[in-house]
Amino acid sequence: MVSNVLTALVVGVGLGVFLQKGRFCFVHAFRDFFAFKDSRVTKAVLVATTLTMVFWSIAYALGYYQGFWTPDWGLTGLLGGFVFGVGMTYAGGCASGTLYRAGQGYLHFWLTLAFMGVGYAVFTVLFPTLESAYFEPLTFGTGVTLFEVSPVPAPLLALGVAGLVLLAYATIVGRSAAGGAGGTDDAAAVRADGGTPTSRGLGASAPAVGLRQFVAGTREYFRGFAEIDDWKAASKRPWDPRTAALGITALAVLWFTQVSIVGVTGPEARWTGYLLQQVGVDAGSYEYWGSILFQGKGVGLTVDMVMIAAVILGAFLAAFWSGDFSIRVPKRRRVPNAVVGGFMMGAGSRLAPGCNIGNIYSGLAELSVHSFIATAGIIAGVYAMTHWIYRDVGCAI
Amino acid sequence: MTGPSLDDFVEMPDEVDDETAEQLADQATETQDMTGEVCPYPQVEAKKAIQTLDSGELLVQETDHVPSTENVPRAVGDDADARVWRSGSGLYRIFLRKR
C-alpha cells in the first residue's frame, strides 16, 4: 500500500510535469486540427497512445499488469462521448488539461473541476433511473479488449496495429510531400484519373516518402537533445509535445504494471463522493458511489485519487519553475464555459463512461471495444462544437 | 501550410526581449486584452481582427494563456508574421504583423 501511494505520487507528479511542459491537450489535438489543420498535438497524442499500446501489450503478455478497464459497449459510448466532447471543447480543456491547468493557477479550471463534480453528483442521484432508461437499452455487449480475445499474442497484435498507424501516417505525409503545396488538388486529380501509371507510382511511393520523413524527423528529434548546452534554460522553455508523449508513456507503463490503466474522471467522481462524505452526505448509500465506484469497500481514499491530485501538484511545480504560474482570473464572459462545459464533462464522462484519458488514451491503448466507440463520440462532439465556436471565421475541415 | 509534416511538430514563433516588446506595443494598430480567456477564443478573435487590418499593420494580444502563444500564431497562419514576448510571470504578448 505504501509503495502504491509512492507510485501514485511519482506517476501523478510526473504526468503533471509532462502535460504542462508539453501543453498536451486533447481539445487542442482535435479542435485545432479541425479548425486550421494544426496537427502538432494530434501527432503527440497518436505517438503516446500507440507507444503505450505496444508497451502495455508486452506487460500484459508477461503477466505484469493489474487489470484492464473494459466497460460494456454500446451506444452509451457514442452519446456520452459526444456530450463529453462538446463539454471539453466549450470548457477549453479536457479532463487531463483541466487538471494541469488548475495546477498552473487558472481559476477558470478550478471552476470547471467544481462543476464536473456537480455533474458526477447529479449523475449519481439519477443513476437508478438512468440504468433502466439509458444503460440497459443502449448496451449491446460485454466489455472486452482485443488483447484478451485475439488469437494472435497481444504484443504481435499491438505491433501490427502500430505498423498500420505508422503506414497510414506515412502515406498521408508522403502524399502531401509528393503533391507539394497543391497536395490536395493533385491527390484529387490522381483519384479522378484512376489507374494511370503515374498515379499508381505516386500511390506506391507515398508511404516510402512518408516513412523516410518519419525516420529523418525522429532522428532529428533525438539529435536535438545533444544540441542542448544549457539544460536549465531548456527545461524552462516549453517542451516538444513528443517529449511529453514519451514521458507520459513511461509513466503509464509504470502505472499499468503497479495499479491499473490511467483514468481521470473515475477517480474524480470518487473524489466528489469522498468530499461530500466529509461534509456529512452519506455518499456510500448511493448505489453508484457505494457499490460501483467504491465497489462496496466504503468511501475512502484510493491510490488513483492520490494520483490525479498529484497531477495538479506536478503541473504547479512545472509551471512555477518555468515562470508560467500565475493566478489567472477568468473574464466574466468565460464563466459559462467553465460552468456548463464542466458540468457536461462530468455528466458525459459518466454516461459514456470514461473521459478523453480513459477512452482515447488508455482505452485505445488497451484496444477496448467500448473505447473505440467512445472515442468516435468524443471526436464527433469536438467537431460539432469547434464548428459552432468558429462559426464566424470558418473551419478548415 | 503544405499539410502534415514532422517539421511543424516544433515550430515556435520567435521570441522578443523586453525592450523590443515595449517598442512593438507602441506601434500596435489594435490591442486585444485576452487575459482571462482560454482557447479557442484568442484564436477566433485574432483571425477576426487580422481580416480587418491592412498589410503591415500590427495586432497585439495580451494573454495569460500559455497555449495561445503557439496556437494563435498558427491559427492566423500565413496571414501574419508572429512574435511572442514572455514576461516570465505568466503574462504574454503576441505580436501579429499582417503580411
Side-chain angles (χ1 to χ4, degrees):
Chain A
M1 188 58 198
V2 174
S3 73
N4 266 354
V5 171
L6 199 64
T7 310
L9 288 173
V10 169
V11 171
V13 169
L15 284 178
V17 169
F18 283 114
L19 289 167
Q20 198 276 326
K21 293 301 303 183
R23 290 135 359 270
F24 203 85
C25 174
F26 283 72
V27 180
H28 182 169
F30 300 110
R31 178 198 62 216
D32 291 10
F33 182 67
F34 296 141
F36 49 96
K37 285 193 181 173
D38 173 14
S39 57
R40 189 167 73 265
V41 184
T42 325
K43 281 180 248 177
V45 168
L46 205 62
V47 169
T49 307
T50 310
L51 280 178
T52 303
M53 173 188 64
V54 171
F55 286 115
W56 281 6
S57 71
I58 297 169
Y60 166 67
L62 297 176
Y64 290 112
Y65 76 110
Q66 304 295 322
F68 291 113
W69 176 72
T70 51
D72 293 345
W73 62 271
L75 286 178
T76 53
L78 213 53
L79 293 174
F82 187 84
V83 172
F84 184 84
V86 168
M88 77 176 192
T89 314
Y90 191 54
C94 56
S96 44
T98 298
L99 273 185
Y100 79 76
R101 288 187 193 133
Q104 215 173 313
Y106 286 86
L107 298 185
H108 176 104
F109 289 105
W110 283 102
L111 195 61
T112 307
L113 276 178
F115 276 87
M116 287 172 79
V118 174
Y120 303 136
V122 168
F123 174 88
T124 301
V125 172
L126 297 178
F127 181 70
T129 318
L130 285 168
E131 199 167 28
S132 56
Y134 176 81
F135 285 102
E136 276 171 24
L138 294 178
T139 302
F140 305 138
T142 311
V144 68
T145 138
L146 299 185
F147 285 155
E148 285 172 336
V149 293
S150 143
V152 186
L156 280 182
L157 179 67
L159 284 174
V161 175
L164 285 179
V165 169
L166 182 59
L167 197 67
Y169 172 74
T171 309
I172 294 169
V173 172
R175 283 244 173 90
S176 77
T184 26
D185 298 341
D186 287 3
V190 165
R191 271 197 302 277
D193 68 354
T196 66
T198 21
S199 72
R200 250 185 274 130
L202 179 66
S205 67
V209 172
L211 274 179
R212 267 199 299 277
Q213 278 201 16
F214 174 80
V215 172
T218 308
R219 207 177 280 160
E220 200 179 316
Y221 167 72
F222 284 106
R223 210 182 298 133
F225 284 99
E227 283 165 13
I228 298 175
D229 42 13
D230 185 349
W231 284 84
K232 193 177 157 195
S235 70
K236 292 188 179 194
R237 283 197 295 268
W239 297 352
D240 189 316
R242 284 175 291 185
T243 307
L246 291 175
I248 290 165
T249 303
L251 294 164
V253 172
L254 176 63
W255 192 244
F256 184 67
T257 58
Q258 301 301 315
V259 182
S260 180
I261 68 149
V262 183
V264 172
T265 47
E268 281 179 359
R270 274 192 279 277
W271 265 113
T272 309
Y274 176 81
L275 291 174
L276 288 174
Q277 180 97 350
Q278 304 310 306
V279 296
V281 178
D282 186 7
S285 69
Y286 290 91
E287 184 190 356
Y288 189 67
W289 276 318
S291 56
I292 295 179
L293 285 179
F294 288 100
Q295 298 171 340
K297 293 171 188 162
V299 177
L301 276 177
T302 58
V303 278
D304 52 359
M305 288 163 69
V306 176
M307 194 274 272
I308 63 154
V311 172
I312 299 180
L313 176 65
F316 164 75
L317 294 173
F320 192 78
W321 172 251
S322 315
D324 286 334
F325 179 84
S326 75
I327 301 292
R328 296 157 165 96
V329 183
K331 282 249 163 53
R332 191 175 297 173
R333 64 175 179 216
R334 285 289 85 85
V335 170
N337 294 66
V339 169
V340 177
F343 181 81
M344 289 180 80
M345 284 161 77
S349 76
R350 297 305 88 209
L351 291 169
C355 59
N356 58 298
I357 291 292
N359 284 312
I360 300 179
Y361 177 64
S362 297
L364 292 188
E366 58 166 358
L367 299 182
S368 163
V369 172
H370 159 75
S371 291
F372 289 113
I373 302 169
T375 297
I378 294 173
I379 293 176
V382 178
Y383 185 83
M385 197 61 193
T386 303
H387 273 262
W388 186 75
I389 293 179
Y390 270 75
R391 62 197 178 282
D392 294 335
V393 287
C395 288
I397 295 174
Chain B
M1 236 174 79
T2 57
S5 91
L6 268 174
D7 13 342
D8 60 29
F9 236 122
V10 283
E11 193 182 290
M12 298 275 287
D14 289 337
E15 288 199 28
V16 297
D17 57 30
D18 296 359
E19 201 183 325
T20 319
E22 284 303 321
Q23 286 169 3
L24 283 171
D26 290 339
Q27 302 169 15
T29 312
E30 189 178 341
T31 305
Q32 294 180 328
D33 175 13
M34 283 290 145
T35 52
E37 298 269 3
V38 292
C39 302
Y41 297 96
Q43 302 168 18
V44 174
E45 293 307 318
K47 282 181 84 115
K48 278 189 200 165
I50 282 291
Q51 283 164 7
T52 66
L53 293 186
D54 292 324
S55 180
E57 287 186 324
L58 185 69
L59 168 70
V60 182
Q61 276 200 349
E62 284 186 330
T63 177
D64 53 9
H65 192 48
V66 199
S68 292
T69 58
E70 271 178 72
N71 57 27
V72 167
R74 292 184 62 86
V76 296
D78 293 337
D79 293 342
D81 293 309
R83 292 201 272 175
V84 166
W85 170 74
R86 294 170 180 274
S87 70
S89 58
L91 192 73
Y92 318 91
R93 281 193 187 134
I94 305 167
F95 302 100
L96 301 167
R97 194 178 291 279
K98 182 155 182 180
R99 283 187 189 164

